[in-house]
Amino acid sequence: MDQFDSAGYLVRARRVAQLSQREMADHVGVAQSTLGGYEAGARKVPAHLLDAILAIAGLRLAVVDASGRVVEPFSADAVRDNAGRRFPAHLEVQPPDRLPREALRAPRYDRRPPKAWYHLRGSHEVDTTGPDRLDHPTQLELAARQRSLRTAGARRLKALREERAASTDRAQEGEGHGD
């Protein structure tokens, strides 16, 4: 299929829904002549209208990859920069705890800490094995990561303190046996 046949899909949706042009136009809130123009191919169908008409027929638009798997749109809640903008889609976004070398060499104290970092990814670094591997992390994922890092850090600190206390106890026991 070289070009998307929106007119053909409009007619198909009406056929599946068993509605006349007038009935379908009433359902989606356009004039019957407008719907007729879309079906004749004389006018381009807006995506939101095509989606609404397909939904009435119990159908939906989908984007699929070469193997036929449905590809979901980019997540609306993907992490954003401090100004609320999306990070560029072609860049790899890293959590804020993974500091790039530039940030370590020249820290910026005049700004809020970043919500995430990004870097150009090389073609050898792209891992597309998981469904979420192509998306940037979401705010919730970063918050969960921060919680797990804090919990792991607290566990390590507790283990170090216990180890230090045990070694101090052993040292004191050793001093007491020398008398």
Side-chain angles (χ1 to χ4, degrees), residues 9-151:
Y9 283 110
L10 289 178
V11 176
R12 170 69 62 202
R14 273 198 318 104
R15 176 83 175 143
V16 169
Q18 297 180 353
L19 295 173
S20 69
Q21 256 186 8
R22 184 176 311 279
E23 291 168 330
M24 182 62 81
D26 287 343
H27 276 290
V28 294
V30 298
Q32 184 267 325
S33 60
T34 303
L35 185 59
Y38 292 146
E39 287 186 5
R43 303 174 77 172
K44 286 197 173 269
V45 183
H48 72 278
L49 187 65
L50 178 60
D51 188 45
I53 290 171
L54 291 173
I56 290 169
L59 305 171
R60 69 182 179 99
L61 290 172
V63 175
V64 296
D65 63 12
S67 66
R69 288 182 303 197
V70 174
V71 177
E72 296 299 324
F74 202 80
S75 176
D77 61 342
V79 68
R80 295 174 184 255
D81 67 10
N82 285 353
R85 300 171 297 217
R86 289 180 190 242
F87 283 101
H90 68 288
L91 299 177
E92 188 65 34
V93 175
Q94 297 293 325
D97 54 273
R98 287 190 182 165
L99 296 172
R101 279 186 231 124
E102 302 85 46
L104 295 172
R105 274 184 281 174
R108 297 288 305 254
Y109 298 108
D110 60 333
R111 297 180 180 173
R112 291 181 295 157
K115 294 180 182 176
W117 301 95
Y118 65 88
H119 66 89
L120 285 171
R121 65 174 162 220
S123 59
H124 64 282
E125 295 179 28
V126 177
D127 178 14
T128 59
T129 56
D132 300 326
R133 299 308 249 161
L134 294 176
D135 284 351
H136 293 166
T138 64
Q139 293 286 0
L140 290 174
E141 291 168 342
L142 289 181
R145 178 182 170 86
Q146 291 292 17
R147 278 192 304 277
S148 70
L149 288 173
R150 277 195 301 271
T151 306

